[in-house]
Amino acid sequence: MRIPFIAGNWKMFKTEEESVAFAEKFKELYQGTDVRAAICAPFTDLRALKEAFEGTAIGVGAQNVHFADEGAYTGEISVKMLQEIGVDYCIVGHSERRQYFAETDETVNLKLKKLLEGTISPILCVGESLEQRDSGKLFDVVKNQLVEDLKDIPSGDIQRIVIAYEPIWAIGTGRTATPQQAEEMCAFIRQTLIEMYDEETADQVILQYGGSVKPANASEIMNMDEIDGALVGGASLKAEDFMAIIDF
Ligand code: PGA
């Protein structure tokens, strides 16, 4: 049984004070829900969010991490630093990081391995561009990302990784993939995991869809067989909207 998991990705929004105001409201709304939920916030908000969500089941995630234990890497944050705050999840390989910050499949792979040495569960993002979809390369692109990003990661660790299918053309554009398009790719991702590992392992992996998820389209996406959750950008910034998605 895969328990639905909905994560918010705040990107570079919300100061610490704003994050606490959100958390106070959101934890009231979330009470009694059995859908797993988390907020992936800027580094500066993480400690305050952990404190605000204490005693609830709401998880807290980072949006990036470095793959070295420590070192002369100005501006970077290590896994150990996140773990000391009690961070539960970390997004890895978001298309904005691949596009604007030179994230490669190689660094994504190193980051996943470093996270898996510790206690934080990675949320790995994969997805094709519009050009790649239109030229029919979408499945090759996503398969290649999975093979490279998960290289040398043993099956015993795979269940700890959440995989988010985020077609780049649907992120922040208001242009959501149809539930069928999202389902088709999630089924392909699960099939690829069966080929790379085995059916039992692949069956346990939580697959999320991300890209312009909002209260109005959450239920049709969440009701697809292979889609177990959502990674929500813009609509996770307002507690009521995020809760409406969780209540799909
Ligand atoms: P969006 O972002 O929901 O604003 O499209 C999704 C994401 O980038 O994770």
Side-chain angles (χ1 to χ4, degrees):
M1 235 310 259
R2 299 189 297 265
I3 297 166
F5 175 38
I6 303 205
N9 172 15
W10 279 357
K11 310 192 178 188
M12 199 174 73
F13 291 99
K14 291 198 193 293
T15 64
E16 184 178 0
E17 218 170 282
E18 289 163 347
S19 76
V20 172
F22 173 100
E24 294 307 328
K25 194 182 288 179
F26 179 65
K27 68 181 180 191
E28 294 296 319
L29 299 171
Y30 181 79
Q31 266 179 23
T33 312
D34 49 14
V35 170
R36 215 165 114 203
I39 292 290
C40 299
F43 291 128
T44 47
D45 298 345
L46 297 176
R47 184 182 289 278
L49 281 176
K50 275 308 285 186
E51 277 170 22
F53 289 146
E54 210 187 313
T56 76
I58 305 162
V60 172
Q63 302 169 6
N64 185 33
V65 71
H66 196 272
F67 51 79
D69 286 324
E70 58 183 6
Y73 300 108
T74 302
E76 292 295 317
I77 301 277
S78 73
V79 170
K80 200 170 152 196
M81 292 168 189
L82 296 179
Q83 282 187 177
E84 202 173 287
I85 298 178
V87 165
D88 309 285
Y89 301 96
C90 183
I91 297 175
V92 179
H94 190 281
S95 60
E96 286 153 15
R97 296 220 57 91
R98 293 182 193 254
Q99 204 176 337
Y100 308 135
F101 302 100
E103 187 85 271
T104 63
D105 288 318
E106 197 184 348
T107 55
V108 167
N109 177 251
L110 291 170
K111 289 176 182 191
L112 290 176
K113 286 180 185 156
K114 188 51 70 181
L115 284 163
L116 292 166
E117 281 175 20
T119 55
I120 297 173
S121 294
I123 301 175
L124 165 65
C125 300
V126 296
E128 82 288 356
S129 66
L130 189 56
E131 198 193 344
Q132 289 163 334
R133 173 166 280 264
D134 288 345
S135 61
K137 293 195 197 115
L138 65 166
F139 296 109
D140 290 344
V141 168
V142 170
K143 183 170 188 165
N144 192 58
Q145 285 176 333
L146 291 171
V147 169
E148 296 296 320
D149 297 352
L150 300 175
K151 200 174 191 162
D152 301 325
I153 295 177
S155 61
D157 281 343
I158 281 297
Q159 297 100 302
R160 278 187 51 207
I161 305 181
V162 174
I163 300 180
Y165 167 54
E166 296 211 311
I168 298 168
W169 47 273
I171 295 177
T173 57
R175 191 181 152 183
T176 326
T178 65
Q180 291 72 23
Q181 286 172 324
E183 172 74 359
E184 186 184 29
M185 185 58 88
C186 286
F188 175 78
I189 291 173
R190 203 171 304 279
Q191 186 55 41
T192 305
L193 294 174
I194 293 175
E195 285 162 24
M196 292 172 67
Y197 298 94
D198 55 73
E199 196 151 352
E200 203 190 326
T201 305
D203 235 21
Q204 293 176 44
V205 177
I206 298 285
L207 300 184
Q208 294 178 327
Y209 165 77
S212 299
V213 176
K214 41 187 181 276
N217 59 23
S219 77
E220 52 177 9
I221 291 167
M222 290 300 297
N223 281 321
M224 294 314 238
D225 285 349
E226 295 295 348
I227 303 175
D228 312 308
L231 185 55
V232 185
S236 69
L237 293 167
K238 272 175 81 182
E240 294 83 358
D241 287 352
F242 190 49
M243 195 56 221
I245 293 170
I246 292 167
D247 267 340
F248 68 91

